[in-house]
Amino acid sequence: SKPITQQIHILPSIVEASTMAPRPPHQRFPKVEIQYLTPHEMRFILSDTDTSMANSLRRIMIAEVPVLAIDLVEFHENSTVLNDEYIAHRLGLIPIRYQ
């Protein structure tokens, strides 16, 4: 796909702006420059904002990604030196992709 460049400005609502203490303009009006966009991937630059806004955006993106994980592990016989809980925990850390 062809790279796309756009500017997106996120504006606070009137109610939110009227009830908030004054802040530097870069904290409430971040700029997002989209460098690359496909149905399954996006590359962008977030600027003119502080780290709390960037972290909030990161947490939202992580929360919205569907994931699979190993939740329950039953051992019939463990002949290794590693205990069952350690192995089960390590299995839960394996990233599982699906379509």
Side-chain angles (χ1 to χ4, degrees), residues 24-92:
H26 70 277
Q27 289 183 339
R28 299 305 298 168
F29 301 101
K31 292 180 185 170
V32 179
E33 181 182 339
I34 300 172
Q35 294 184 322
Y36 183 74
L37 181 63
T38 67
H40 300 286
E41 184 179 350
M42 177 179 176
R43 186 173 297 161
F44 63 92
I45 296 175
L46 180 66
S47 60
D48 294 339
T49 190
D50 59 358
T51 54
S52 66
M53 181 70 80
N55 191 44
S56 298
L57 184 60
R58 179 190 65 83
R59 291 176 65 119
I60 290 168
M61 288 188 292
I62 289 171
E64 295 298 320
V65 174
V67 294
L68 292 176
I70 297 171
D71 188 32
L72 178 64
V73 179
E74 293 183 16
F75 292 91
H76 294 284
E77 183 179 337
N78 182 3
S79 61
T80 69
V81 296
L82 303 173
N83 61 26
D84 295 351
E85 292 81 12
Y86 179 77
I87 296 171
H89 173 70
R90 297 292 297 198
L91 288 171

